[in-house]
């Protein structure tokens, strides 16, 4: 097959313990999925899970032991960090029951759902899509994917983020309002999941601003960590 120009290369995330990489298909994100984060954003109560997407090429791949780099994005004066457990789908499907969901998981990684909070807030106020606040270029840093057999109990693990060595977010993935299996059930009712899909599962409380020059270091117990520096 020939193309009128070279196709954009597939984003490939390293896999712990393997030379083969994980080719990214889509990036789904869950909104307000920890109670104390929902509260800090001004919401209370358990609402049905809701989703937004980032472009696959917004993923910033950070290999193990390295410090990745993302530029401070345009248009914003309030770039927020959201540390999240990322679920990597290995087997696709639609209408997946929660009881079957784990069969579809390839592994887990640590990710950052970087957010232009001021733009997201403006869009919320006007009832407009969040894309400009959430789906911007290089908005989805991710560390290596750990296959689920080696990942320990990632869904009941501590999750944290430090900025310049100081704690900003620290919680436990067990506090997800909609757990990973329930999230996959809801998501796969709306879209047919495919191998290569990533699901950013939501962030705990403590989201806040970062500026150029800051170094973000995040982790989930049992997984490779993620370090990213905000470039100027
Ligand atoms: Mn998020």
């Amino acid at each position: 097959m020939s193309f009128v120009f070279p196709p954009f290369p597939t984003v490939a995330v390293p896999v712990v313990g393997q030379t083969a990489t994980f080719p990214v298909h889509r990036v789904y994100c869950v909104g307000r999925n920890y109670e104390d984060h929902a509260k800090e954003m001004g919401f209370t109560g358990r609402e049905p899970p809701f989703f937004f997407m980032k472009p696959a090429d917004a993923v910033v791949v950070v290999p193990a032991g390295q410090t990745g780099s993302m530029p401070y994005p345009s248009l914003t004066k309030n770039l927020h960090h959201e540390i999240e457990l990322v679920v990597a789908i290995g087997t696709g499907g639609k209408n997946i029951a929660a009881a079957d969901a784990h069969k579809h998981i390839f592994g887990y990684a640590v990710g950052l759902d970087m957010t232009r909070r001021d733009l997201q807030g403006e869009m919320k106020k006007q009832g407009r899509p969040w894309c400009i606040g959430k789906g911007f270029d290089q908005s989805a840093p991710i560390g290596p994917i750990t296959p689920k057999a080696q990942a320990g109990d990632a869904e009941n693990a501590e999750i944290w983020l430090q900025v310049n060595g100081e704690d900003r977010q620290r919680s436990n993935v067990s506090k997800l309002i909609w757990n990973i299996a329930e999230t996959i059930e809801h998501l796969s009712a709306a879209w047919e999941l495919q191998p290569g899909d990533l699901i950013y599962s939501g962030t705990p409380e403590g989201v806040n601003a970062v500026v150029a020059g800051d170094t973000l270091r995040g982790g989930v117990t049992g997984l490779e960590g993620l370090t990213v520096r905000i470039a100027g």
Side-chain angles (χ1 to χ4, degrees):
M1 191 192 300
S2 68
F3 298 101
V4 294
F5 48 79
F8 198 85
T10 298
V11 175
V13 183
V15 175
V16 174
Q18 298 182 25
T19 51
T21 56
F22 181 93
V24 177
H25 175 247
R26 288 183 183 165
V27 179
Y28 296 100
C29 303
V30 189
R32 295 195 289 266
N33 204 15
Y34 287 82
E35 189 179 356
D36 287 341
H37 173 61
K39 282 181 185 159
E40 76 182 348
M41 300 305 289
F43 295 85
T44 53
R46 196 185 207 224
E47 55 186 350
F50 68 93
F51 306 101
F52 57 92
M53 294 172 79
K54 293 179 185 246
D57 68 357
V59 171
V60 176
V61 173
V62 183
Q66 293 188 24
T67 297
S69 178
M70 72 168 279
Y72 195 91
S74 63
L75 303 181
T76 186
K77 290 184 168 58
N78 196 19
L79 175 66
H80 271 205
H81 55 75
E82 296 192 356
I83 191 71
E84 310 203 356
L85 174 68
V86 181
V87 178
I89 296 295
T91 306
K94 51 185 173 182
N95 297 315
I96 299 166
D100 296 325
H102 284 93
K103 295 179 202 150
H104 295 262
I105 297 175
F106 173 82
Y108 303 90
V110 178
L112 279 163
D113 166 16
M114 299 303 291
T115 302
R116 295 194 281 208
R117 192 71 74 199
D118 43 359
L119 300 185
Q120 184 202 23
E122 193 55 38
M123 293 300 115
K124 273 187 196 171
K125 218 185 309 174
Q126 298 186 37
R128 291 178 178 172
W130 288 10
C131 306
I132 200 168
K134 287 289 197 178
F136 55 94
D137 295 342
Q138 294 169 282
S139 59
I142 191 170
I145 294 169
T146 301
K148 70 178 170 190
Q150 297 146 247
D153 193 359
E155 297 180 24
N156 291 286
E158 193 174 26
I159 180 169
W160 71 89
L161 180 81
Q162 296 183 327
V163 177
N164 303 328
E166 288 185 13
D167 265 26
R168 287 278 186 92
Q169 295 184 269
R170 188 170 291 275
S171 185
N172 195 290
V173 179
S174 63
K175 294 184 179 174
L176 279 171
I177 295 171
W178 298 94
N179 67 31
I180 300 300
E182 292 169 329
T183 295
I184 288 172
E185 179 173 302
H186 280 88
L187 191 57
S188 69
W191 291 273
E192 180 173 356
L193 294 181
Q194 301 290 346
D197 287 340
L198 297 174
I199 306 168
Y200 282 62
S201 60
T203 195
E205 68 277 15
V207 299
N208 212 327
V210 288
V211 297
D214 282 348
T215 298
L216 290 64
R217 198 166 65 82
V220 171
T221 302
L223 305 184
E224 278 288 343
L226 169 64
T227 305
V228 178
R229 187 172 181 276
I230 309 295

